[in-house]
Amino acid sequence: VIFDMDGTLIDSMPYWTNAAGEDLTKYENFAQYLSGKYSTVVEPKPYAFEFLHLLHDNGIPFCFATDTAKWLSRGFFDRYPELNELIEFYIDCEDVGTTKRKSPKIYGAAAERLGFSPAECLVFEDHRHAVIAATESGFDVVGVYDLVNAGNAEEIKQYAVDYINDFSEMMK
């Protein structure tokens, strides 16, 4: 299983889009602002960690494949250290040299490291471009609701094999 992180497993997208409406001029740069949010206020989405524990407990390997550089989200992992024990690995745009918007390369790299073909993997994503890219690369995708991307939900549903509002729907 391949998970996107921002907007899929954690509720960080309002800070990426500044939907939180903060005065960004008080920060040295946007990376400093985001890093601070990961370290202090970004939280898991409802039932996300419970679902990750369920997969882990049942021997289903999974990873995070995200555009967010690991160094930027380090504070979140410091606050939730059990994640480091649960996931096989974290792969980001810096590892593959491109973003999901430009290329689905990250999904192929993640599947290869997990030891599976695209057809044997399931991707969880909240962003329209990423859902389309993964689907067109041979992956089945579960679309995940996120308020920031809610306007694209209907298009995501056209490509995804399923669409969930939160991870409790995966545990039924």
Side-chain angles (χ1 to χ4, degrees), residues 18 22 31 36 52 58 63 76 82 96 107 117 127 130 158 164:
N18 197 26
E22 294 190 46
L52 295 179
N58 284 283
C63 67
F76 183 80
E82 73 265 24
V96 297
Y107 301 111
S117 70
H127 198 276
Q158 292 174 12
I164 60 172

Side-chain angles (χ1 to χ4, degrees), residues 51 122-126 131 135 139-145 153-172:
F51 184 57
L122 185 62
V123 173
F124 286 83
E125 267 289 354
D126 69 301
V131 169
T135 301
F139 292 89
D140 283 337
V141 179
V142 174
V144 180
Y145 172 82
E154 291 308 312
E155 188 174 3
I156 290 170
K157 289 176 185 178
Q158 292 174 12
Y159 287 88
V161 296
D162 200 0
Y163 187 86
I164 60 172
N165 292 302
D166 67 51
F167 284 94
S168 68
E169 295 173 46
M170 297 301 300
M171 297 186 290
K172 294 179 179 176

Side-chain angles (χ1 to χ4, degrees), residues 5-6 10-12 15-16 27 31-44 68 70-81:
M5 187 176 70
D6 298 288
I10 66 174
D11 196 15
S12 56
Y15 304 106
W16 277 94
Y27 298 96
Q32 178 193 30
Y33 164 77
L34 286 172
S35 178
K37 295 303 175 187
Y38 283 110
S39 296
T40 59
V41 297
V42 170
E43 295 294 332
T68 304
K70 179 77 175 202
W71 62 265
L72 191 61
S73 63
R74 172 63 57 207
F76 183 80
F77 285 82
D78 290 344
R79 288 175 44 230
Y80 296 99

